[in-house]
Amino acid sequence: MKVGIMGGTFDPIHFGHLATAESVREIFKLDEILFIPSARPPHKVERQITPELHRLMMTFLATKSNEFFQVSPMEFLRDGLSYTLDTMTELTKKYGAGTELFFIIGADSMADLSKWYKARELLSKAHFIATNRPNVEVNLEALKEFFGASAMKHIHQVSTPGLEISSTDIREKIKSGKSIKYLVPEVVEEYIIKERLYL
Ligand code: ATP
Ligand code: MG
């Protein structure tokens, strides 16, 4: 089995995440995509993140119309910072050795993969698929230098339909009273309005 993992803060989840996941699923022929909202991302400790229940709910709502998309609250069930390595270790146990894991990340995140917690061990457990984000180039040479040539078979790059959407932009739009229509699924927009998020 081939399982894709889409990790993120999803604060809120938007069409950039969804379209990217769907396109990677087809290109890599993945059996399913697991959306895993991050509880306490080590690189976002300085920002106030929306309570996890809201982020989880929005992720459920956004993905429910796609039979290949699943959501896992596993990072909320662990204490401490949310390290991807712990998540991969847990997933390897859950799915067994016959399953290959494909972690989907934006080119912005791939660019500093070497700074992730126990990066070399992490790369040995899963494939990493970098998807394009505006104005970011992944420096494959730098990654090769850090991880070594043989590890590069776990690093992939794909070009997906680039949607220039970010959660930061969406939060700012809401704060300044602007529309977020066509940036997030309608069910997510309705949830944000009902719960008065990001005001
Ligand atoms: P923020 O602005 O709060 O950082 P974000 O829009 O970057 O939010 P994250 O939850 O940080 O969203 O992203 C989760 C993953 O999805 C990351 O790997 C990120 O690179 C990727 N991603 C985010 N937005 C897009 C997009 N528009 N297209 C493709 N990938 C995206
Ligand atoms: Mg981001």
Side-chain angles (χ1 to χ4, degrees):
M1 200 157 133
K2 288 160 86 176
V3 176
I5 293 127
M6 186 85 195
T9 320
F10 303 136
D11 193 11
I13 189 164
H14 54 68
F15 279 132
H17 301 129
L18 296 162
T20 298
E22 182 68 349
S23 135
V24 170
R25 181 183 73 74
E26 287 197 311
I27 295 169
F28 283 82
K29 302 189 168 52
L30 304 178
D31 297 290
E32 63 178 52
I33 307 257
L34 201 53
F35 284 74
I36 308 182
S38 180
R40 286 160 294 273
H43 61 293
K44 284 185 181 168
V45 279
E46 75 290 352
R47 184 171 80 72
Q48 190 67 36
I49 299 174
T50 304
E52 51 195 43
L53 189 61
H54 286 313
R55 293 186 289 117
L56 191 60
M57 278 303 293
M58 290 189 281
T59 308
F60 268 119
L61 290 169
T63 54
K64 72 173 187 218
S65 64
N66 189 325
E67 58 171 324
F68 299 104
F69 288 0
Q70 313 286 338
V71 182
S72 168
M74 61 189 284
E75 293 201 352
F76 296 147
L77 305 174
R78 286 201 310 260
D79 292 330
L81 294 177
S82 312
Y83 292 114
T84 302
L85 179 65
D86 298 337
T87 302
M88 293 302 166
T89 306
E90 217 177 313
L91 288 175
T92 306
K93 271 196 208 125
K94 179 179 172 229
Y95 285 99
T99 293
E100 277 186 295
L101 302 174
F102 292 79
F103 197 82
I104 304 162
I105 55 176
D108 54 328
S109 308
M110 183 69 120
D112 48 37
L113 187 64
S114 60
K115 298 192 201 99
W116 288 31
Y117 177 70
K118 296 195 182 166
R120 289 189 182 90
E121 189 181 341
L122 177 61
L123 192 59
S124 72
K125 288 191 187 285
H127 292 262
F128 277 74
I129 304 173
T131 62
N132 50 298
R133 291 212 68 187
N135 312 317
V136 191
E137 282 289 325
V138 179
N139 186 341
L140 289 175
E141 274 312 307
L143 289 173
K144 190 170 166 186
E145 205 162 293
F146 183 86
F147 289 105
S150 72
M152 294 306 281
K153 60 179 186 295
H154 274 198
I155 291 187
H156 314 266
Q157 256 189 307
V158 284
S159 180
T160 53
L163 292 180
E164 247 182 89
I165 305 174
S166 79
S167 304
T168 302
D169 263 5
I170 293 171
R171 292 192 301 271
E172 279 165 10
K173 277 192 193 312
I174 297 170
K175 214 172 181 142
S176 53
K178 292 196 183 115
S179 165
I180 58 159
K181 271 196 193 309
Y182 319 118
L183 300 177
V184 300
E186 240 172 76
V187 280
V188 172
E189 188 194 356
E190 284 161 11
Y191 185 89
I192 291 173
I193 294 169
K194 182 167 84 63
E195 298 294 334
R196 304 180 52 80
L197 302 181
Y198 310 116
L199 292 172

